[in-house]
Each structure stands twice: as structure tokens, then as C-alpha cells.
Amino acid sequence: QLQLVESGGGLVQPGGSLRLSCAATGFDFSLYEMKWYRQRPGKERELVARIKSGGGIRAYVPSVKGRFTIDRDDAKKTVSLQMDRLNTEDTAVYYCNANRYQEPIGDVDYWGQGTQVTVSS
């Protein structure tokens, strides 16, 4: 069964850290670029971090660069997001995404159900 399951969300104080994990089943994980998106209250979903198939290339939205780290373990079929120095603007539902371009279909996307991260004192 094809599935992406996030875990690790919760409530943390400003300046604290959280580590999100996403476990994949049902597809060839190593072939997919993996991404973390978030949707803040009242805002559109935004791409936060991405890591290419093979793990050599990572990219971050400027607001989290230097604070968040994305990583993947193809053997375990997991992708993680280490979030440090969190602030209230990081409060959001975080989603795991798997993306791959496949001829002739085009972009193939799989999504997790989301995990809530709340940064508050």
C-alpha cells in the first residue's frame, strides 16, 4: 500500500528544536525527490526543503536556511526534517511529499497526511 506517514510534530517553545520524520511504503523511494511543505494558518502551502534522489542536492526556502536540515535514508525509506531555533512563524502543518517526473504521465506526487508543529511559549 502506497503511503507517506509523518511523525514528530508537537508543541515547542521558541528557540527549541523538533525533528520530523516521514516513512514511505509502496513505491520505489530512492527514485523520488523528497520535499517538506508547510501550511501556516491563513496561508498557502509552501515548499520548505527538498532533497534530490541520491541525496546529493538540498535546497531550502530562505526563511529556514541555516535552521532546518533535510536528510534521507534510502535504505529505511525515510526522510527527516531537523528544525532548530524554531520561532512562532514556523507554526504550521508540515507535509511530506514524494515527487518524480515520469514519461509520459508527467509529475507524480504522493503526500502524507501532515503533522502539526506549534511554536509557542
Side-chain angles (χ1 to χ4, degrees), residues 65-94:
K65 198 170 185 180
R67 300 189 297 121
F68 289 13
T69 303
I70 188 170
D71 207 353
R72 67 188 293 159
D73 186 330
D74 286 352
K76 295 181 179 179
K77 296 187 176 182
T78 59
V79 60
S80 62
L81 186 68
Q82 176 67 39
M83 305 186 295
D84 298 320
R85 291 182 280 136
L86 287 159
N87 59 59
T88 56
E89 291 295 305
D90 297 317
T91 294
V93 179
Y94 284 73

PDB file of all heavy atoms in Angstrom, residues 65-94:
ATOM      1  N   LYS A  65      16.644  28.513   6.006  1.00  0.00           N
ATOM      2  CA  LYS A  65      18.026  28.142   5.692  1.00  0.00           C
ATOM      3  C   LYS A  65      18.926  28.434   6.877  1.00  0.00           C
ATOM      4  O   LYS A  65      18.868  29.521   7.471  1.00  0.00           O
ATOM      5  CB  LYS A  65      18.502  28.897   4.453  1.00  0.00           C
ATOM      6  CG  LYS A  65      19.728  28.291   3.804  1.00  0.00           C
ATOM      7  CD  LYS A  65      19.994  28.934   2.452  1.00  0.00           C
ATOM      8  CE  LYS A  65      21.145  28.243   1.760  1.00  0.00           C
ATOM      9  NZ  LYS A  65      21.425  28.850   0.431  1.00  0.00           N
ATOM     10  N   GLY A  66      19.739  27.447   7.239  1.00  0.00           N
ATOM     11  CA  GLY A  66      20.616  27.584   8.404  1.00  0.00           C
ATOM     12  C   GLY A  66      19.985  27.114   9.689  1.00  0.00           C
ATOM     13  O   GLY A  66      20.679  26.939  10.694  1.00  0.00           O
ATOM     14  N   ARG A  67      18.670  26.903   9.676  1.00  0.00           N
ATOM     15  CA  ARG A  67      17.974  26.418  10.872  1.00  0.00           C
ATOM     16  C   ARG A  67      17.410  25.008  10.670  1.00  0.00           C
ATOM     17  O   ARG A  67      17.329  24.241  11.623  1.00  0.00           O
ATOM     18  CB  ARG A  67      16.829  27.355  11.245  1.00  0.00           C
ATOM     19  CG  ARG A  67      17.246  28.775  11.539  1.00  0.00           C
ATOM     20  CD  ARG A  67      16.087  29.582  12.106  1.00  0.00           C
ATOM     21  NE  ARG A  67      14.978  29.712  11.156  1.00  0.00           N
ATOM     22  CZ  ARG A  67      13.732  29.288  11.397  1.00  0.00           C
ATOM     23  NH1 ARG A  67      13.427  28.700  12.538  1.00  0.00           N
ATOM     24  NH2 ARG A  67      12.777  29.465  10.479  1.00  0.00           N
ATOM     25  N   PHE A  68      17.004  24.687   9.440  1.00  0.00           N
ATOM     26  CA  PHE A  68      16.403  23.388   9.139  1.00  0.00           C
ATOM     27  C   PHE A  68      17.375  22.562   8.307  1.00  0.00           C
ATOM     28  O   PHE A  68      18.111  23.105   7.476  1.00  0.00           O
ATOM     29  CB  PHE A  68      15.113  23.565   8.338  1.00  0.00           C
ATOM     30  CG  PHE A  68      13.949  24.135   9.102  1.00  0.00           C
ATOM     31  CD1 PHE A  68      14.094  24.713  10.341  1.00  0.00           C
ATOM     32  CD2 PHE A  68      12.676  24.096   8.536  1.00  0.00           C
ATOM     33  CE1 PHE A  68      13.018  25.240  11.037  1.00  0.00           C
ATOM     34  CE2 PHE A  68      11.583  24.618   9.215  1.00  0.00           C
ATOM     35  CZ  PHE A  68      11.762  25.201  10.454  1.00  0.00           C
ATOM     36  N   THR A  69      17.342  21.249   8.505  1.00  0.00           N
ATOM     37  CA  THR A  69      18.166  20.332   7.721  1.00  0.00           C
ATOM     38  C   THR A  69      17.326  19.157   7.265  1.00  0.00           C
ATOM     39  O   THR A  69      16.709  18.476   8.088  1.00  0.00           O
ATOM     40  CB  THR A  69      19.346  19.810   8.550  1.00  0.00           C
ATOM     41  OG1 THR A  69      20.128  20.917   9.039  1.00  0.00           O
ATOM     42  CG2 THR A  69      20.240  18.915   7.694  1.00  0.00           C
ATOM     43  N   ILE A  70      17.308  18.940   5.958  1.00  0.00           N
ATOM     44  CA  ILE A  70      16.591  17.795   5.396  1.00  0.00           C
ATOM     45  C   ILE A  70      17.599  16.692   5.101  1.00  0.00           C
ATOM     46  O   ILE A  70      18.720  16.958   4.651  1.00  0.00           O
ATOM     47  CB  ILE A  70      15.801  18.192   4.128  1.00  0.00           C
ATOM     48  CG1 ILE A  70      14.912  17.044   3.659  1.00  0.00           C
ATOM     49  CG2 ILE A  70      16.727  18.662   3.017  1.00  0.00           C
ATOM     50  CD1 ILE A  70      13.934  17.441   2.551  1.00  0.00           C
ATOM     51  N   ASP A  71      17.164  15.459   5.352  1.00  0.00           N
ATOM     52  CA  ASP A  71      18.038  14.334   5.063  1.00  0.00           C
ATOM     53  C   ASP A  71      17.177  13.131   4.692  1.00  0.00           C
ATOM     54  O   ASP A  71      15.983  13.096   4.996  1.00  0.00           O
ATOM     55  CB  ASP A  71      18.906  13.998   6.275  1.00  0.00           C
ATOM     56  CG  ASP A  71      20.224  13.347   5.864  1.00  0.00           C
ATOM     57  OD1 ASP A  71      20.401  13.045   4.644  1.00  0.00           O
ATOM     58  OD2 ASP A  71      21.088  13.146   6.733  1.00  0.00           O
ATOM     59  N   ARG A  72      17.774  12.164   4.045  1.00  0.00           N
ATOM     60  CA  ARG A  72      17.035  10.968   3.644  1.00  0.00           C
ATOM     61  C   ARG A  72      17.871   9.731   3.897  1.00  0.00           C
ATOM     62  O   ARG A  72      19.111   9.787   3.868  1.00  0.00           O
ATOM     63  CB  ARG A  72      16.633  11.054   2.168  1.00  0.00           C
ATOM     64  CG  ARG A  72      17.790  11.016   1.187  1.00  0.00           C
ATOM     65  CD  ARG A  72      17.285  11.318  -0.232  1.00  0.00           C
ATOM     66  NE  ARG A  72      16.413  10.271  -0.729  1.00  0.00           N
ATOM     67  CZ  ARG A  72      15.525  10.446  -1.723  1.00  0.00           C
ATOM     68  NH1 ARG A  72      15.413  11.632  -2.302  1.00  0.00           N
ATOM     69  NH2 ARG A  72      14.783   9.439  -2.133  1.00  0.00           N
ATOM     70  N   ASP A  73      17.167   8.636   4.116  1.00  0.00           N
ATOM     71  CA  ASP A  73      17.799   7.328   4.274  1.00  0.00           C
ATOM     72  C   ASP A  73      17.067   6.386   3.333  1.00  0.00           C
ATOM     73  O   ASP A  73      15.962   5.927   3.634  1.00  0.00           O
ATOM     74  CB  ASP A  73      17.688   6.862   5.723  1.00  0.00           C
ATOM     75  CG  ASP A  73      18.442   5.579   5.993  1.00  0.00           C
ATOM     76  OD1 ASP A  73      18.565   4.752   5.072  1.00  0.00           O
ATOM     77  OD2 ASP A  73      18.893   5.385   7.133  1.00  0.00           O
ATOM     78  N   ASP A  74      17.680   6.124   2.195  1.00  0.00           N
ATOM     79  CA  ASP A  74      17.001   5.314   1.189  1.00  0.00           C
ATOM     80  C   ASP A  74      16.840   3.861   1.644  1.00  0.00           C
ATOM     81  O   ASP A  74      15.893   3.186   1.226  1.00  0.00           O
ATOM     82  CB  ASP A  74      17.766   5.376  -0.131  1.00  0.00           C
ATOM     83  CG  ASP A  74      17.584   6.711  -0.842  1.00  0.00           C
ATOM     84  OD1 ASP A  74      16.754   7.514  -0.388  1.00  0.00           O
ATOM     85  OD2 ASP A  74      18.280   6.944  -1.859  1.00  0.00           O
ATOM     86  N   ALA A  75      17.743   3.378   2.468  1.00  0.00           N
ATOM     87  CA  ALA A  75      17.629   2.007   2.954  1.00  0.00           C
ATOM     88  C   ALA A  75      16.411   1.850   3.864  1.00  0.00           C
ATOM     89  O   ALA A  75      15.722   0.828   3.828  1.00  0.00           O
ATOM     90  CB  ALA A  75      18.893   1.608   3.702  1.00  0.00           C
ATOM     91  N   LYS A  76      16.132   2.880   4.662  1.00  0.00           N
ATOM     92  CA  LYS A  76      14.984   2.842   5.571  1.00  0.00           C
ATOM     93  C   LYS A  76      13.744   3.479   4.966  1.00  0.00           C
ATOM     94  O   LYS A  76      12.668   3.438   5.565  1.00  0.00           O
ATOM     95  CB  LYS A  76      15.329   3.557   6.876  1.00  0.00           C
ATOM     96  CG  LYS A  76      16.424   2.892   7.680  1.00  0.00           C
ATOM     97  CD  LYS A  76      16.687   3.641   8.972  1.00  0.00           C
ATOM     98  CE  LYS A  76      17.772   2.954   9.787  1.00  0.00           C
ATOM     99  NZ  LYS A  76      18.068   3.691  11.048  1.00  0.00           N
ATOM    100  N   LYS A  77      13.902   4.089   3.791  1.00  0.00           N
ATOM    101  CA  LYS A  77      12.783   4.768   3.121  1.00  0.00           C
ATOM    102  C   LYS A  77      12.194   5.857   4.014  1.00  0.00           C
ATOM    103  O   LYS A  77      10.961   5.921   4.221  1.00  0.00           O
ATOM    104  CB  LYS A  77      11.703   3.775   2.692  1.00  0.00           C
ATOM    105  CG  LYS A  77      12.183   2.775   1.650  1.00  0.00           C
ATOM    106  CD  LYS A  77      11.037   1.919   1.126  1.00  0.00           C
ATOM    107  CE  LYS A  77      11.511   0.987   0.026  1.00  0.00           C
ATOM    108  NZ  LYS A  77      10.404   0.187  -0.531  1.00  0.00           N
ATOM    109  N   THR A  78      13.056   6.671   4.543  1.00  0.00           N
ATOM    110  CA  THR A  78      12.605   7.768   5.391  1.00  0.00           C
ATOM    111  C   THR A  78      13.264   9.080   4.975  1.00  0.00           C
ATOM    112  O   THR A  78      14.379   9.096   4.437  1.00  0.00           O
ATOM    113  CB  THR A  78      12.927   7.510   6.871  1.00  0.00           C
ATOM    114  OG1 THR A  78      14.348   7.338   7.016  1.00  0.00           O
ATOM    115  CG2 THR A  78      12.213   6.282   7.405  1.00  0.00           C
ATOM    116  N   VAL A  79      12.553  10.155   5.226  1.00  0.00           N
ATOM    117  CA  VAL A  79      13.097  11.492   5.068  1.00  0.00           C
ATOM    118  C   VAL A  79      12.826  12.245   6.354  1.00  0.00           C
ATOM    119  O   VAL A  79      11.772  12.057   6.978  1.00  0.00           O
ATOM    120  CB  VAL A  79      12.499  12.210   3.842  1.00  0.00           C
ATOM    121  CG1 VAL A  79      10.998  12.359   3.943  1.00  0.00           C
ATOM    122  CG2 VAL A  79      13.168  13.557   3.613  1.00  0.00           C
ATOM    123  N   SER A  80      13.772  13.051   6.771  1.00  0.00           N
ATOM    124  CA  SER A  80      13.635  13.770   8.030  1.00  0.00           C
ATOM    125  C   SER A  80      13.811  15.258   7.816  1.00  0.00           C
ATOM    126  O   SER A  80      14.389  15.701   6.807  1.00  0.00           O
ATOM    127  CB  SER A  80      14.659  13.255   9.039  1.00  0.00           C
ATOM    128  OG  SER A  80      15.981  13.482   8.572  1.00  0.00           O
ATOM    129  N   LEU A  81      13.311  16.013   8.770  1.00  0.00           N
ATOM    130  CA  LEU A  81      13.500  17.457   8.769  1.00  0.00           C
ATOM    131  C   LEU A  81      13.865  17.853  10.200  1.00  0.00           C
ATOM    132  O   LEU A  81      13.010  17.830  11.091  1.00  0.00           O
ATOM    133  CB  LEU A  81      12.247  18.198   8.312  1.00  0.00           C
ATOM    134  CG  LEU A  81      12.414  19.710   8.152  1.00  0.00           C
ATOM    135  CD1 LEU A  81      13.357  20.016   6.979  1.00  0.00           C
ATOM    136  CD2 LEU A  81      11.068  20.395   7.930  1.00  0.00           C
ATOM    137  N   GLN A  82      15.124  18.172  10.407  1.00  0.00           N
ATOM    138  CA  GLN A  82      15.583  18.659  11.699  1.00  0.00           C
ATOM    139  C   GLN A  82      15.361  20.163  11.734  1.00  0.00           C
ATOM    140  O   GLN A  82      15.886  20.885  10.873  1.00  0.00           O
ATOM    141  CB  GLN A  82      17.066  18.335  11.905  1.00  0.00           C
ATOM    142  CG  GLN A  82      17.660  18.884  13.182  1.00  0.00           C
ATOM    143  CD  GLN A  82      17.081  18.229  14.417  1.00  0.00           C
ATOM    144  OE1 GLN A  82      16.827  17.043  14.452  1.00  0.00           O
ATOM    145  NE2 GLN A  82      16.855  19.046  15.457  1.00  0.00           N
ATOM    146  N   MET A  83      14.596  20.608  12.728  1.00  0.00           N
ATOM    147  CA  MET A  83      14.237  22.023  12.811  1.00  0.00           C
ATOM    148  C   MET A  83      14.794  22.595  14.102  1.00  0.00           C
ATOM    149  O   MET A  83      14.401  22.174  15.192  1.00  0.00           O
ATOM    150  CB  MET A  83      12.718  22.177  12.770  1.00  0.00           C
ATOM    151  CG  MET A  83      12.079  21.523  11.558  1.00  0.00           C
ATOM    152  SD  MET A  83      10.308  21.852  11.422  1.00  0.00           S
ATOM    153  CE  MET A  83       9.710  21.019  12.873  1.00  0.00           C
ATOM    154  N   ASP A  84      15.706  23.535  13.974  1.00  0.00           N
ATOM    155  CA  ASP A  84      16.341  24.170  15.129  1.00  0.00           C
ATOM    156  C   ASP A  84      15.997  25.649  15.177  1.00  0.00           C
ATOM    157  O   ASP A  84      15.585  26.244  14.184  1.00  0.00           O
ATOM    158  CB  ASP A  84      17.867  23.988  15.050  1.00  0.00           C
ATOM    159  CG  ASP A  84      18.284  22.537  15.099  1.00  0.00           C
ATOM    160  OD1 ASP A  84      17.686  21.768  15.872  1.00  0.00           O
ATOM    161  OD2 ASP A  84      19.214  22.162  14.346  1.00  0.00           O
ATOM    162  N   ARG A  85      16.184  26.227  16.343  1.00  0.00           N
ATOM    163  CA  ARG A  85      15.917  27.665  16.560  1.00  0.00           C
ATOM    164  C   ARG A  85      14.544  28.034  16.013  1.00  0.00           C
ATOM    165  O   ARG A  85      14.394  29.006  15.254  1.00  0.00           O
ATOM    166  CB  ARG A  85      17.026  28.506  15.929  1.00  0.00           C
ATOM    167  CG  ARG A  85      18.353  28.366  16.663  1.00  0.00           C
ATOM    168  CD  ARG A  85      19.417  29.262  16.035  1.00  0.00           C
ATOM    169  NE  ARG A  85      19.984  28.675  14.848  1.00  0.00           N
ATOM    170  CZ  ARG A  85      20.225  29.337  13.706  1.00  0.00           C
ATOM    171  NH1 ARG A  85      19.915  30.611  13.612  1.00  0.00           N
ATOM    172  NH2 ARG A  85      20.772  28.728  12.700  1.00  0.00           N
ATOM    173  N   LEU A  86      13.568  27.264  16.402  1.00  0.00           N
ATOM    174  CA  LEU A  86      12.206  27.500  15.929  1.00  0.00           C
ATOM    175  C   LEU A  86      11.657  28.800  16.461  1.00  0.00           C
ATOM    176  O   LEU A  86      11.989  29.238  17.586  1.00  0.00           O
ATOM    177  CB  LEU A  86      11.310  26.343  16.351  1.00  0.00           C
ATOM    178  CG  LEU A  86      11.536  25.043  15.559  1.00  0.00           C
ATOM    179  CD1 LEU A  86      11.015  23.838  16.324  1.00  0.00           C
ATOM    180  CD2 LEU A  86      10.848  25.134  14.202  1.00  0.00           C
ATOM    181  N   ASN A  87      10.819  29.425  15.654  1.00  0.00           N
ATOM    182  CA  ASN A  87      10.127  30.630  16.086  1.00  0.00           C
ATOM    183  C   ASN A  87       8.650  30.506  15.770  1.00  0.00           C
ATOM    184  O   ASN A  87       8.219  29.552  15.102  1.00  0.00           O
ATOM    185  CB  ASN A  87      10.752  31.875  15.457  1.00  0.00           C
ATOM    186  CG  ASN A  87      10.727  31.843  13.947  1.00  0.00           C
ATOM    187  OD1 ASN A  87       9.658  31.759  13.333  1.00  0.00           O
ATOM    188  ND2 ASN A  87      11.896  31.908  13.325  1.00  0.00           N
ATOM    189  N   THR A  88       7.875  31.466  16.218  1.00  0.00           N
ATOM    190  CA  THR A  88       6.421  31.360  16.083  1.00  0.00           C
ATOM    191  C   THR A  88       5.977  31.325  14.630  1.00  0.00           C
ATOM    192  O   THR A  88       4.921  30.768  14.318  1.00  0.00           O
ATOM    193  CB  THR A  88       5.731  32.514  16.814  1.00  0.00           C
ATOM    194  OG1 THR A  88       6.232  33.758  16.312  1.00  0.00           O
ATOM    195  CG2 THR A  88       5.991  32.444  18.319  1.00  0.00           C
ATOM    196  N   GLU A  89       6.783  31.889  13.735  1.00  0.00           N
ATOM    197  CA  GLU A  89       6.445  31.869  12.316  1.00  0.00           C
ATOM    198  C   GLU A  89       6.563  30.467  11.706  1.00  0.00           C
ATOM    199  O   GLU A  89       6.109  30.241  10.581  1.00  0.00           O
ATOM    200  CB  GLU A  89       7.338  32.832  11.541  1.00  0.00           C
ATOM    201  CG  GLU A  89       7.075  34.293  11.842  1.00  0.00           C
ATOM    202  CD  GLU A  89       5.679  34.707  11.387  1.00  0.00           C
ATOM    203  OE1 GLU A  89       5.383  34.505  10.192  1.00  0.00           O
ATOM    204  OE2 GLU A  89       4.895  35.206  12.216  1.00  0.00           O
ATOM    205  N   ASP A  90       7.180  29.562  12.416  1.00  0.00           N
ATOM    206  CA  ASP A  90       7.306  28.183  11.932  1.00  0.00           C
ATOM    207  C   ASP A  90       6.083  27.339  12.283  1.00  0.00           C
ATOM    208  O   ASP A  90       5.995  26.173  11.866  1.00  0.00           O
ATOM    209  CB  ASP A  90       8.552  27.523  12.530  1.00  0.00           C
ATOM    210  CG  ASP A  90       9.837  28.214  12.099  1.00  0.00           C
ATOM    211  OD1 ASP A  90       9.949  28.540  10.908  1.00  0.00           O
ATOM    212  OD2 ASP A  90      10.718  28.425  12.957  1.00  0.00           O
ATOM    213  N   THR A  91       5.150  27.899  13.039  1.00  0.00           N
ATOM    214  CA  THR A  91       3.932  27.174  13.371  1.00  0.00           C
ATOM    215  C   THR A  91       3.146  26.863  12.100  1.00  0.00           C
ATOM    216  O   THR A  91       2.822  27.768  11.322  1.00  0.00           O
ATOM    217  CB  THR A  91       3.057  28.000  14.330  1.00  0.00           C
ATOM    218  OG1 THR A  91       3.740  28.139  15.572  1.00  0.00           O
ATOM    219  CG2 THR A  91       1.714  27.327  14.553  1.00  0.00           C
ATOM    220  N   ALA A  92       2.874  25.586  11.870  1.00  0.00           N
ATOM    221  CA  ALA A  92       2.230  25.159  10.632  1.00  0.00           C
ATOM    222  C   ALA A  92       1.952  23.669  10.688  1.00  0.00           C
ATOM    223  O   ALA A  92       2.455  22.963  11.569  1.00  0.00           O
ATOM    224  CB  ALA A  92       3.134  25.457   9.427  1.00  0.00           C
ATOM    225  N   VAL A  93       1.167  23.218   9.717  1.00  0.00           N
ATOM    226  CA  VAL A  93       1.076  21.785   9.454  1.00  0.00           C
ATOM    227  C   VAL A  93       2.145  21.458   8.417  1.00  0.00           C
ATOM    228  O   VAL A  93       2.208  22.110   7.366  1.00  0.00           O
ATOM    229  CB  VAL A  93      -0.316  21.383   8.944  1.00  0.00           C
ATOM    230  CG1 VAL A  93      -0.353  19.883   8.647  1.00  0.00           C
ATOM    231  CG2 VAL A  93      -1.393  21.751   9.956  1.00  0.00           C
ATOM    232  N   TYR A  94       2.978  20.482   8.713  1.00  0.00           N
ATOM    233  CA  TYR A  94       4.083  20.105   7.837  1.00  0.00           C
ATOM    234  C   TYR A  94       3.719  18.818   7.097  1.00  0.00           C
ATOM    235  O   TYR A  94       3.261  17.845   7.709  1.00  0.00           O
ATOM    236  CB  TYR A  94       5.359  19.922   8.649  1.00  0.00           C
ATOM    237  CG  TYR A  94       5.971  21.238   9.062  1.00  0.00           C
ATOM    238  CD1 TYR A  94       5.394  22.011  10.063  1.00  0.00           C
ATOM    239  CD2 TYR A  94       7.114  21.732   8.434  1.00  0.00           C
ATOM    240  CE1 TYR A  94       5.927  23.232  10.426  1.00  0.00           C
ATOM    241  CE2 TYR A  94       7.667  22.951   8.798  1.00  0.00           C
ATOM    242  CZ  TYR A  94       7.059  23.698   9.791  1.00  0.00           C
ATOM    243  OH  TYR A  94       7.604  24.916  10.148  1.00  0.00           O
TER     244      TYR A  94
END
